[in-house]
Short mmCIF file of all heavy atoms in Angstrom, two decimals:
data_model
loop_
_atom_site.label_atom_id
_atom_site.label_comp_id
_atom_site.label_asym_id
_atom_site.label_seq_id
_atom_site.Cartn_x
_atom_site.Cartn_y
_atom_site.Cartn_z
N MET A 1 3.78 -32.77 -25.55
CA MET A 1 3.86 -31.49 -24.90
C MET A 1 3.23 -31.53 -23.47
O MET A 1 2.23 -32.22 -23.30
CB MET A 1 3.08 -30.44 -25.70
CG MET A 1 3.72 -30.08 -27.05
SD MET A 1 5.03 -28.90 -26.80
CE MET A 1 5.43 -28.62 -28.50
N THR A 2 3.78 -30.78 -22.59
CA THR A 2 3.33 -30.70 -21.23
C THR A 2 2.65 -29.40 -20.99
O THR A 2 3.14 -28.33 -21.41
CB THR A 2 4.55 -30.83 -20.23
OG1 THR A 2 5.22 -32.08 -20.48
CG2 THR A 2 4.04 -30.77 -18.83
N LYS A 3 1.49 -29.39 -20.31
CA LYS A 3 0.83 -28.19 -19.94
C LYS A 3 1.55 -27.49 -18.80
O LYS A 3 1.82 -28.18 -17.78
CB LYS A 3 -0.62 -28.51 -19.58
CG LYS A 3 -1.47 -27.36 -19.18
CD LYS A 3 -2.14 -26.76 -20.36
CE LYS A 3 -3.16 -25.76 -19.94
NZ LYS A 3 -3.85 -25.14 -21.00
N ILE A 4 1.86 -26.24 -18.95
CA ILE A 4 2.60 -25.51 -17.95
C ILE A 4 1.74 -24.25 -17.51
O ILE A 4 1.29 -23.55 -18.41
CB ILE A 4 3.94 -24.99 -18.49
CG1 ILE A 4 4.82 -26.25 -18.86
CG2 ILE A 4 4.66 -24.12 -17.45
CD1 ILE A 4 6.07 -25.88 -19.60
N ASN A 5 1.60 -24.09 -16.23
CA ASN A 5 0.87 -22.92 -15.66
C ASN A 5 1.81 -22.24 -14.65
O ASN A 5 2.32 -22.90 -13.76
CB ASN A 5 -0.38 -23.37 -14.92
CG ASN A 5 -1.40 -23.97 -15.91
OD1 ASN A 5 -1.88 -23.33 -16.81
ND2 ASN A 5 -1.75 -25.25 -15.70
N LEU A 6 1.93 -20.93 -14.86
CA LEU A 6 2.82 -20.14 -13.99
C LEU A 6 2.16 -18.90 -13.53
O LEU A 6 1.33 -18.30 -14.26
CB LEU A 6 4.09 -19.80 -14.76
CG LEU A 6 4.93 -20.93 -15.27
CD1 LEU A 6 5.98 -20.42 -16.27
CD2 LEU A 6 5.54 -21.72 -14.19
N ASN A 7 2.52 -18.39 -12.34
CA ASN A 7 2.07 -17.05 -11.85
C ASN A 7 3.25 -16.09 -11.96
O ASN A 7 4.41 -16.44 -11.75
CB ASN A 7 1.64 -17.21 -10.39
CG ASN A 7 0.37 -18.02 -10.25
OD1 ASN A 7 -0.55 -17.85 -11.01
ND2 ASN A 7 0.38 -18.92 -9.30
N LEU A 8 2.89 -14.85 -12.29
CA LEU A 8 3.94 -13.84 -12.54
C LEU A 8 3.74 -12.65 -11.63
O LEU A 8 2.65 -12.34 -11.17
CB LEU A 8 3.85 -13.33 -13.99
CG LEU A 8 3.87 -14.37 -15.06
CD1 LEU A 8 3.64 -13.66 -16.40
CD2 LEU A 8 5.18 -15.13 -15.09
N LYS A 9 4.84 -11.89 -11.48
CA LYS A 9 4.83 -10.58 -10.81
C LYS A 9 5.60 -9.64 -11.70
O LYS A 9 6.51 -10.03 -12.41
CB LYS A 9 5.53 -10.65 -9.43
CG LYS A 9 4.60 -11.18 -8.35
CD LYS A 9 5.14 -10.82 -7.01
CE LYS A 9 4.11 -11.21 -5.98
NZ LYS A 9 4.26 -10.53 -4.75
N GLY A 10 5.19 -8.40 -11.67
CA GLY A 10 5.88 -7.37 -12.43
C GLY A 10 5.28 -7.05 -13.77
O GLY A 10 5.75 -6.27 -14.54
N THR A 11 4.11 -7.69 -14.05
CA THR A 11 3.39 -7.41 -15.26
C THR A 11 2.38 -6.31 -15.00
O THR A 11 1.62 -6.40 -13.99
CB THR A 11 2.68 -8.65 -15.79
OG1 THR A 11 1.87 -9.22 -14.77
CG2 THR A 11 3.71 -9.73 -16.21
N HIS A 12 2.30 -5.30 -15.85
CA HIS A 12 1.40 -4.22 -15.52
C HIS A 12 0.60 -3.62 -16.71
O HIS A 12 -0.11 -2.68 -16.56
CB HIS A 12 2.19 -3.11 -14.83
CG HIS A 12 3.28 -2.57 -15.67
ND1 HIS A 12 4.49 -3.13 -15.76
CD2 HIS A 12 3.31 -1.50 -16.51
CE1 HIS A 12 5.28 -2.46 -16.59
NE2 HIS A 12 4.55 -1.46 -17.05
N CYS A 13 0.77 -4.20 -17.92
CA CYS A 13 0.08 -3.63 -19.05
C CYS A 13 -0.02 -4.63 -20.19
O CYS A 13 0.54 -5.71 -20.15
CB CYS A 13 0.79 -2.39 -19.52
SG CYS A 13 2.45 -2.70 -20.18
N LYS A 14 -0.75 -4.20 -21.25
CA LYS A 14 -0.95 -5.05 -22.40
C LYS A 14 0.36 -5.35 -23.11
O LYS A 14 0.53 -6.39 -23.75
CB LYS A 14 -1.97 -4.44 -23.34
CG LYS A 14 -3.35 -4.45 -22.75
CD LYS A 14 -4.34 -3.76 -23.65
CE LYS A 14 -5.66 -3.65 -22.95
NZ LYS A 14 -6.63 -2.84 -23.69
N SER A 15 1.25 -4.44 -23.08
CA SER A 15 2.61 -4.63 -23.66
C SER A 15 3.35 -5.76 -23.01
O SER A 15 4.02 -6.59 -23.66
CB SER A 15 3.44 -3.33 -23.56
OG SER A 15 4.70 -3.53 -24.17
N CYS A 16 3.22 -5.90 -21.68
CA CYS A 16 3.84 -7.00 -20.97
C CYS A 16 3.30 -8.31 -21.46
O CYS A 16 4.06 -9.30 -21.70
CB CYS A 16 3.57 -6.90 -19.46
SG CYS A 16 4.26 -5.47 -18.66
N LYS A 17 2.00 -8.39 -21.67
CA LYS A 17 1.37 -9.58 -22.20
C LYS A 17 1.91 -9.91 -23.58
O LYS A 17 2.27 -11.08 -23.82
CB LYS A 17 -0.16 -9.32 -22.32
CG LYS A 17 -1.00 -10.40 -22.89
CD LYS A 17 -2.44 -9.93 -23.02
CE LYS A 17 -3.43 -10.96 -23.39
NZ LYS A 17 -3.26 -11.73 -24.61
N MET A 18 2.07 -8.94 -24.43
CA MET A 18 2.59 -9.22 -25.77
C MET A 18 4.02 -9.66 -25.75
O MET A 18 4.41 -10.56 -26.50
CB MET A 18 2.40 -8.00 -26.67
CG MET A 18 0.95 -7.74 -26.95
SD MET A 18 0.54 -6.19 -27.90
CE MET A 18 2.03 -5.71 -28.68
N VAL A 19 4.84 -9.09 -24.91
CA VAL A 19 6.24 -9.41 -24.75
C VAL A 19 6.37 -10.93 -24.36
O VAL A 19 7.19 -11.68 -24.92
CB VAL A 19 7.00 -8.51 -23.76
CG1 VAL A 19 8.34 -9.06 -23.38
CG2 VAL A 19 7.10 -7.11 -24.33
N ILE A 20 5.61 -11.31 -23.36
CA ILE A 20 5.63 -12.69 -22.89
C ILE A 20 5.15 -13.69 -23.93
O ILE A 20 5.79 -14.71 -24.19
CB ILE A 20 4.84 -12.84 -21.57
CG1 ILE A 20 5.52 -12.03 -20.47
CG2 ILE A 20 4.69 -14.31 -21.19
CD1 ILE A 20 4.68 -11.84 -19.23
N GLU A 21 4.03 -13.30 -24.58
CA GLU A 21 3.53 -14.18 -25.70
C GLU A 21 4.55 -14.33 -26.80
O GLU A 21 4.74 -15.45 -27.31
CB GLU A 21 2.23 -13.57 -26.23
CG GLU A 21 1.04 -13.69 -25.33
CD GLU A 21 -0.16 -12.93 -25.80
OE1 GLU A 21 -0.06 -12.01 -26.66
OE2 GLU A 21 -1.26 -13.26 -25.35
N ASP A 22 5.21 -13.25 -27.19
CA ASP A 22 6.25 -13.31 -28.26
C ASP A 22 7.44 -14.18 -27.81
O ASP A 22 7.92 -14.96 -28.58
CB ASP A 22 6.73 -11.95 -28.59
CG ASP A 22 5.66 -11.15 -29.41
OD1 ASP A 22 4.67 -11.73 -29.89
OD2 ASP A 22 5.86 -9.91 -29.53
N ALA A 23 7.88 -14.00 -26.57
CA ALA A 23 9.02 -14.76 -26.07
C ALA A 23 8.73 -16.23 -26.05
O ALA A 23 9.54 -17.08 -26.46
CB ALA A 23 9.42 -14.31 -24.68
N LEU A 24 7.51 -16.63 -25.59
CA LEU A 24 7.19 -18.04 -25.57
C LEU A 24 6.93 -18.60 -26.96
O LEU A 24 7.23 -19.75 -27.24
CB LEU A 24 5.98 -18.26 -24.62
CG LEU A 24 6.22 -17.89 -23.17
CD1 LEU A 24 4.97 -18.19 -22.32
CD2 LEU A 24 7.41 -18.62 -22.60
N GLY A 25 6.36 -17.80 -27.83
CA GLY A 25 6.17 -18.19 -29.21
C GLY A 25 7.51 -18.47 -29.90
O GLY A 25 7.66 -19.46 -30.60
N ASP A 26 8.48 -17.58 -29.65
CA ASP A 26 9.85 -17.73 -30.20
C ASP A 26 10.49 -19.03 -29.70
O ASP A 26 11.27 -19.65 -30.36
CB ASP A 26 10.69 -16.54 -29.92
CG ASP A 26 10.28 -15.30 -30.64
OD1 ASP A 26 9.48 -15.40 -31.64
OD2 ASP A 26 10.76 -14.17 -30.28
N LEU A 27 10.16 -19.37 -28.45
CA LEU A 27 10.69 -20.56 -27.84
C LEU A 27 10.14 -21.83 -28.45
O LEU A 27 10.76 -22.90 -28.47
CB LEU A 27 10.38 -20.57 -26.32
CG LEU A 27 10.95 -21.64 -25.46
CD1 LEU A 27 12.49 -21.65 -25.44
CD2 LEU A 27 10.41 -21.50 -24.01
N GLY A 28 8.92 -21.66 -28.98
CA GLY A 28 8.22 -22.87 -29.62
C GLY A 28 7.08 -23.40 -28.79
O GLY A 28 6.51 -24.42 -29.11
N ALA A 29 6.71 -22.64 -27.74
CA ALA A 29 5.55 -23.04 -26.91
C ALA A 29 4.33 -22.88 -27.70
O ALA A 29 4.20 -22.01 -28.55
CB ALA A 29 5.53 -22.24 -25.63
N THR A 30 3.31 -23.69 -27.40
CA THR A 30 2.02 -23.64 -28.14
C THR A 30 0.91 -23.32 -27.17
O THR A 30 1.09 -23.47 -25.94
CB THR A 30 1.73 -24.96 -28.90
OG1 THR A 30 1.72 -26.06 -28.00
CG2 THR A 30 2.82 -25.20 -29.98
N ASN A 31 -0.23 -23.00 -27.69
CA ASN A 31 -1.40 -22.70 -26.85
C ASN A 31 -1.09 -21.72 -25.75
O ASN A 31 -1.50 -21.92 -24.58
CB ASN A 31 -2.07 -23.96 -26.33
CG ASN A 31 -2.56 -24.84 -27.41
OD1 ASN A 31 -3.11 -24.36 -28.40
ND2 ASN A 31 -2.40 -26.15 -27.28
N VAL A 32 -0.36 -20.65 -26.04
CA VAL A 32 0.07 -19.67 -25.04
C VAL A 32 -1.09 -18.69 -24.73
O VAL A 32 -1.65 -18.10 -25.60
CB VAL A 32 1.27 -18.88 -25.59
CG1 VAL A 32 1.69 -17.83 -24.56
CG2 VAL A 32 2.44 -19.79 -25.87
N THR A 33 -1.38 -18.61 -23.42
CA THR A 33 -2.34 -17.61 -22.97
C THR A 33 -1.71 -16.87 -21.83
O THR A 33 -1.07 -17.44 -20.95
CB THR A 33 -3.69 -18.20 -22.52
OG1 THR A 33 -3.45 -19.13 -21.50
CG2 THR A 33 -4.40 -18.87 -23.70
N VAL A 34 -1.85 -15.53 -21.83
CA VAL A 34 -1.34 -14.70 -20.77
C VAL A 34 -2.45 -13.79 -20.28
O VAL A 34 -3.09 -13.11 -21.07
CB VAL A 34 -0.17 -13.88 -21.25
CG1 VAL A 34 0.42 -12.98 -20.14
CG2 VAL A 34 0.94 -14.71 -21.89
N GLU A 35 -2.68 -13.80 -18.99
CA GLU A 35 -3.68 -12.91 -18.35
C GLU A 35 -2.92 -11.98 -17.40
O GLU A 35 -2.12 -12.40 -16.58
CB GLU A 35 -4.66 -13.74 -17.56
CG GLU A 35 -5.51 -14.68 -18.40
CD GLU A 35 -6.44 -15.54 -17.57
OE1 GLU A 35 -6.70 -15.18 -16.36
OE2 GLU A 35 -6.89 -16.60 -18.07
N ILE A 36 -3.19 -10.71 -17.54
CA ILE A 36 -2.50 -9.67 -16.74
C ILE A 36 -3.54 -8.93 -15.84
O ILE A 36 -4.61 -8.53 -16.33
CB ILE A 36 -1.86 -8.62 -17.66
CG1 ILE A 36 -0.86 -9.30 -18.62
CG2 ILE A 36 -1.17 -7.52 -16.84
CD1 ILE A 36 0.29 -9.96 -17.96
N ASN A 37 -3.21 -8.78 -14.58
CA ASN A 37 -3.98 -7.95 -13.66
C ASN A 37 -3.19 -6.66 -13.47
O ASN A 37 -2.22 -6.63 -12.72
CB ASN A 37 -4.20 -8.68 -12.34
CG ASN A 37 -5.03 -7.84 -11.36
OD1 ASN A 37 -4.96 -6.65 -11.32
ND2 ASN A 37 -5.84 -8.57 -10.56
N GLU A 38 -3.54 -5.59 -14.19
CA GLU A 38 -2.78 -4.39 -14.22
C GLU A 38 -2.75 -3.75 -12.86
O GLU A 38 -1.70 -3.23 -12.48
CB GLU A 38 -3.38 -3.43 -15.23
CG GLU A 38 -3.21 -3.95 -16.69
CD GLU A 38 -3.84 -3.03 -17.73
OE1 GLU A 38 -4.13 -1.85 -17.40
OE2 GLU A 38 -4.05 -3.51 -18.86
N LYS A 39 -3.86 -3.79 -12.12
CA LYS A 39 -3.89 -3.11 -10.79
C LYS A 39 -2.92 -3.77 -9.85
O LYS A 39 -2.22 -3.07 -9.06
CB LYS A 39 -5.32 -3.18 -10.27
CG LYS A 39 -5.55 -2.42 -9.01
CD LYS A 39 -6.99 -2.43 -8.57
CE LYS A 39 -7.18 -1.61 -7.35
NZ LYS A 39 -8.57 -1.58 -6.90
N GLU A 40 -2.89 -5.09 -9.78
CA GLU A 40 -1.99 -5.81 -8.85
C GLU A 40 -0.62 -6.11 -9.43
O GLU A 40 0.24 -6.62 -8.71
CB GLU A 40 -2.71 -7.10 -8.41
CG GLU A 40 -3.95 -6.86 -7.61
CD GLU A 40 -4.58 -8.17 -7.16
OE1 GLU A 40 -3.94 -9.22 -7.14
OE2 GLU A 40 -5.76 -8.11 -6.77
N GLN A 41 -0.41 -5.80 -10.71
CA GLN A 41 0.83 -6.07 -11.43
C GLN A 41 1.26 -7.55 -11.30
O GLN A 41 2.39 -7.86 -11.00
CB GLN A 41 1.96 -5.13 -10.90
CG GLN A 41 1.69 -3.72 -11.22
CD GLN A 41 2.88 -2.80 -10.98
OE1 GLN A 41 3.93 -3.24 -10.55
NE2 GLN A 41 2.67 -1.53 -11.22
N THR A 42 0.24 -8.39 -11.52
CA THR A 42 0.49 -9.83 -11.50
C THR A 42 -0.06 -10.43 -12.80
O THR A 42 -0.78 -9.74 -13.58
CB THR A 42 -0.24 -10.55 -10.34
OG1 THR A 42 -1.61 -10.26 -10.38
CG2 THR A 42 0.30 -10.01 -8.99
N GLY A 43 0.25 -11.66 -13.04
CA GLY A 43 -0.26 -12.33 -14.24
C GLY A 43 -0.25 -13.82 -14.12
O GLY A 43 0.34 -14.37 -13.17
N LYS A 44 -0.86 -14.44 -15.11
CA LYS A 44 -0.85 -15.93 -15.19
C LYS A 44 -0.55 -16.31 -16.63
O LYS A 44 -0.99 -15.69 -17.54
CB LYS A 44 -2.24 -16.47 -14.79
CG LYS A 44 -2.59 -16.24 -13.37
CD LYS A 44 -3.89 -16.91 -12.99
CE LYS A 44 -4.17 -16.68 -11.53
NZ LYS A 44 -5.26 -17.46 -11.02
N VAL A 45 0.28 -17.32 -16.74
CA VAL A 45 0.68 -17.83 -18.06
C VAL A 45 0.32 -19.31 -18.14
O VAL A 45 0.53 -20.05 -17.19
CB VAL A 45 2.19 -17.69 -18.29
CG1 VAL A 45 2.64 -18.36 -19.57
CG2 VAL A 45 2.67 -16.27 -18.29
N SER A 46 -0.19 -19.67 -19.29
CA SER A 46 -0.52 -21.06 -19.53
C SER A 46 0.03 -21.38 -20.91
O SER A 46 -0.17 -20.56 -21.85
CB SER A 46 -1.99 -21.32 -19.50
OG SER A 46 -2.31 -22.64 -19.84
N CYS A 47 0.71 -22.49 -21.06
CA CYS A 47 1.19 -22.86 -22.40
C CYS A 47 1.52 -24.37 -22.39
O CYS A 47 1.49 -25.02 -21.38
CB CYS A 47 2.48 -22.06 -22.78
SG CYS A 47 3.92 -22.44 -21.76
N GLU A 48 1.87 -24.88 -23.57
CA GLU A 48 2.27 -26.24 -23.71
C GLU A 48 3.70 -26.22 -24.26
O GLU A 48 4.01 -25.62 -25.30
CB GLU A 48 1.36 -27.00 -24.64
CG GLU A 48 -0.03 -27.17 -24.04
CD GLU A 48 -0.96 -27.98 -24.91
OE1 GLU A 48 -0.46 -28.63 -25.86
OE2 GLU A 48 -2.18 -27.93 -24.68
N PHE A 49 4.62 -26.92 -23.53
CA PHE A 49 6.03 -27.03 -23.91
C PHE A 49 6.62 -28.15 -23.10
O PHE A 49 6.13 -28.53 -22.05
CB PHE A 49 6.72 -25.72 -23.66
CG PHE A 49 8.05 -25.61 -24.30
CD1 PHE A 49 8.20 -25.49 -25.69
CD2 PHE A 49 9.24 -25.61 -23.56
CE1 PHE A 49 9.42 -25.38 -26.29
CE2 PHE A 49 10.48 -25.52 -24.18
CZ PHE A 49 10.57 -25.39 -25.55
N ASP A 50 7.68 -28.73 -23.59
CA ASP A 50 8.29 -29.92 -22.96
C ASP A 50 9.24 -29.62 -21.81
O ASP A 50 9.56 -30.47 -21.00
CB ASP A 50 9.07 -30.75 -24.00
CG ASP A 50 8.12 -31.43 -24.96
OD1 ASP A 50 6.98 -31.78 -24.54
OD2 ASP A 50 8.50 -31.64 -26.11
N ASP A 51 9.66 -28.37 -21.66
CA ASP A 51 10.68 -27.98 -20.64
C ASP A 51 10.25 -26.72 -19.87
O ASP A 51 10.39 -25.61 -20.34
CB ASP A 51 12.00 -27.78 -21.35
CG ASP A 51 13.17 -27.63 -20.38
OD1 ASP A 51 12.93 -27.32 -19.17
OD2 ASP A 51 14.30 -27.87 -20.84
N LYS A 52 9.73 -26.95 -18.63
CA LYS A 52 9.24 -25.87 -17.82
C LYS A 52 10.34 -24.91 -17.52
O LYS A 52 10.14 -23.67 -17.51
CB LYS A 52 8.64 -26.42 -16.53
CG LYS A 52 8.04 -25.33 -15.62
CD LYS A 52 7.43 -25.96 -14.42
CE LYS A 52 6.82 -24.92 -13.47
NZ LYS A 52 6.20 -25.51 -12.32
N LYS A 53 11.55 -25.40 -17.29
CA LYS A 53 12.67 -24.53 -16.96
C LYS A 53 12.98 -23.52 -18.07
O LYS A 53 13.22 -22.34 -17.81
CB LYS A 53 13.95 -25.37 -16.68
CG LYS A 53 15.12 -24.58 -16.28
CD LYS A 53 16.33 -25.48 -16.00
CE LYS A 53 17.54 -24.63 -15.62
NZ LYS A 53 18.73 -25.45 -15.38
N LYS A 54 12.89 -23.95 -19.31
CA LYS A 54 13.12 -23.02 -20.44
C LYS A 54 12.04 -21.99 -20.55
O LYS A 54 12.32 -20.85 -20.92
CB LYS A 54 13.24 -23.85 -21.74
CG LYS A 54 14.53 -24.58 -21.84
CD LYS A 54 14.68 -25.22 -23.20
CE LYS A 54 16.03 -25.98 -23.31
NZ LYS A 54 16.21 -26.61 -24.61
N VAL A 55 10.78 -22.35 -20.21
CA VAL A 55 9.69 -21.38 -20.25
C VAL A 55 9.94 -20.31 -19.17
O VAL A 55 9.87 -19.11 -19.42
CB VAL A 55 8.34 -22.10 -20.01
CG1 VAL A 55 7.21 -21.10 -19.77
CG2 VAL A 55 7.99 -23.00 -21.17
N VAL A 56 10.32 -20.78 -18.00
CA VAL A 56 10.62 -19.82 -16.87
C VAL A 56 11.75 -18.92 -17.24
O VAL A 56 11.72 -17.71 -17.06
CB VAL A 56 10.94 -20.62 -15.57
CG1 VAL A 56 11.46 -19.66 -14.48
CG2 VAL A 56 9.68 -21.34 -15.08
N GLU A 57 12.84 -19.49 -17.82
CA GLU A 57 13.97 -18.64 -18.21
C GLU A 57 13.58 -17.64 -19.26
O GLU A 57 14.07 -16.50 -19.23
CB GLU A 57 15.09 -19.59 -18.74
CG GLU A 57 15.76 -20.35 -17.64
CD GLU A 57 16.74 -21.41 -18.14
OE1 GLU A 57 16.81 -21.66 -19.36
OE2 GLU A 57 17.45 -22.01 -17.33
N ALA A 58 12.73 -18.01 -20.22
CA ALA A 58 12.34 -17.09 -21.28
C ALA A 58 11.57 -15.90 -20.70
O ALA A 58 11.76 -14.77 -21.11
CB ALA A 58 11.50 -17.81 -22.34
N ILE A 59 10.71 -16.16 -19.72
CA ILE A 59 9.95 -15.12 -19.09
C ILE A 59 10.85 -14.21 -18.25
O ILE A 59 10.78 -13.01 -18.27
CB ILE A 59 8.83 -15.69 -18.20
CG1 ILE A 59 7.78 -16.41 -19.09
CG2 ILE A 59 8.16 -14.67 -17.32
CD1 ILE A 59 6.77 -17.27 -18.36
N GLN A 60 11.73 -14.85 -17.49
CA GLN A 60 12.68 -14.06 -16.66
C GLN A 60 13.65 -13.20 -17.50
O GLN A 60 13.96 -12.11 -17.09
CB GLN A 60 13.42 -15.01 -15.74
CG GLN A 60 12.61 -15.60 -14.65
CD GLN A 60 13.33 -16.66 -13.83
OE1 GLN A 60 14.31 -17.27 -14.25
NE2 GLN A 60 12.86 -16.88 -12.59
N LYS A 61 14.02 -13.71 -18.67
CA LYS A 61 14.88 -12.97 -19.55
C LYS A 61 14.24 -11.64 -20.00
O LYS A 61 14.92 -10.65 -20.22
CB LYS A 61 15.22 -13.81 -20.75
CG LYS A 61 16.18 -13.15 -21.71
CD LYS A 61 16.52 -14.08 -22.88
CE LYS A 61 17.44 -13.40 -23.81
NZ LYS A 61 17.67 -14.18 -25.05
N GLU A 62 12.89 -11.65 -20.04
CA GLU A 62 12.18 -10.44 -20.40
C GLU A 62 11.95 -9.46 -19.20
O GLU A 62 11.36 -8.44 -19.37
CB GLU A 62 10.84 -10.80 -21.04
CG GLU A 62 10.99 -11.59 -22.31
CD GLU A 62 11.70 -10.86 -23.45
OE1 GLU A 62 11.71 -9.64 -23.47
OE2 GLU A 62 12.33 -11.57 -24.29
N GLY A 63 12.40 -9.89 -18.03
CA GLY A 63 12.34 -9.03 -16.88
C GLY A 63 11.17 -9.24 -15.91
O GLY A 63 10.92 -8.45 -15.02
N TYR A 64 10.45 -10.37 -16.04
CA TYR A 64 9.35 -10.67 -15.18
C TYR A 64 9.72 -11.76 -14.16
O TYR A 64 10.54 -12.63 -14.48
CB TYR A 64 8.11 -11.07 -16.01
CG TYR A 64 7.80 -10.06 -17.07
CD1 TYR A 64 8.07 -10.25 -18.38
CD2 TYR A 64 7.19 -8.84 -16.67
CE1 TYR A 64 7.81 -9.27 -19.34
CE2 TYR A 64 6.93 -7.87 -17.61
CZ TYR A 64 7.20 -8.08 -18.93
OH TYR A 64 6.96 -7.13 -19.89
N LYS A 65 9.07 -11.70 -13.05
CA LYS A 65 9.36 -12.66 -11.99
C LYS A 65 8.31 -13.78 -12.00
O LYS A 65 7.12 -13.54 -11.96
CB LYS A 65 9.36 -11.99 -10.61
CG LYS A 65 9.70 -12.93 -9.47
CD LYS A 65 9.78 -12.14 -8.18
CE LYS A 65 10.20 -13.06 -7.07
NZ LYS A 65 10.30 -12.36 -5.80
N VAL A 66 8.78 -15.02 -12.03
CA VAL A 66 7.87 -16.19 -11.92
C VAL A 66 7.81 -16.57 -10.44
O VAL A 66 8.80 -16.75 -9.79
CB VAL A 66 8.39 -17.36 -12.75
CG1 VAL A 66 7.50 -18.57 -12.58
CG2 VAL A 66 8.54 -16.97 -14.23
N VAL A 67 6.53 -16.62 -9.93
CA VAL A 67 6.36 -17.01 -8.51
C VAL A 67 5.59 -18.28 -8.33
O VAL A 67 4.98 -18.78 -9.26
CB VAL A 67 5.62 -15.86 -7.75
CG1 VAL A 67 6.51 -14.64 -7.70
CG2 VAL A 67 4.28 -15.54 -8.38
#
């Protein structure tokens, strides 16, 4: 597994955090952590998975921007 760290835009609440965690869990990513800055509507994701592109696609599918 490869450690993946991403920055996000468009996240603004605890629900966003749960949606991303669920999407990455469904993908099969492990050690998923999501930190949300509600005021700035940004976030950080860290997980372990073999394909960064699939992680990015899973997050984007839920409506969040990876920056």
Side-chain angles (χ1 to χ4, degrees):
M1 293 277 185
T2 302
K3 180 88 169 181
I4 298 171
N5 295 299
L6 301 169
N7 294 314
L8 307 175
K9 280 199 171 198
T11 54
H12 60 277
C13 64
K14 291 177 186 171
S15 179
C16 296
K17 177 184 188 303
M18 291 176 19
V19 167
I20 294 167
E21 288 172 339
D22 288 346
L24 296 181
D26 290 346
L27 184 64
T30 58
N31 297 320
V32 177
T33 58
V34 180
E35 297 175 18
I36 302 296
N37 182 326
E38 295 177 16
K39 186 176 182 179
E40 295 181 17
Q41 295 190 1
T42 60
K44 293 184 180 194
V45 174
S46 176
C47 68
E48 292 182 16
F49 195 69
D50 290 330
D51 189 339
K52 183 177 179 178
K53 183 178 177 182
K54 286 185 180 182
V55 170
V56 170
E57 288 171 351
I59 293 169
Q60 290 175 334
K61 183 178 178 185
E62 297 300 332
Y64 305 104
K65 184 176 181 180
V66 178
V67 293

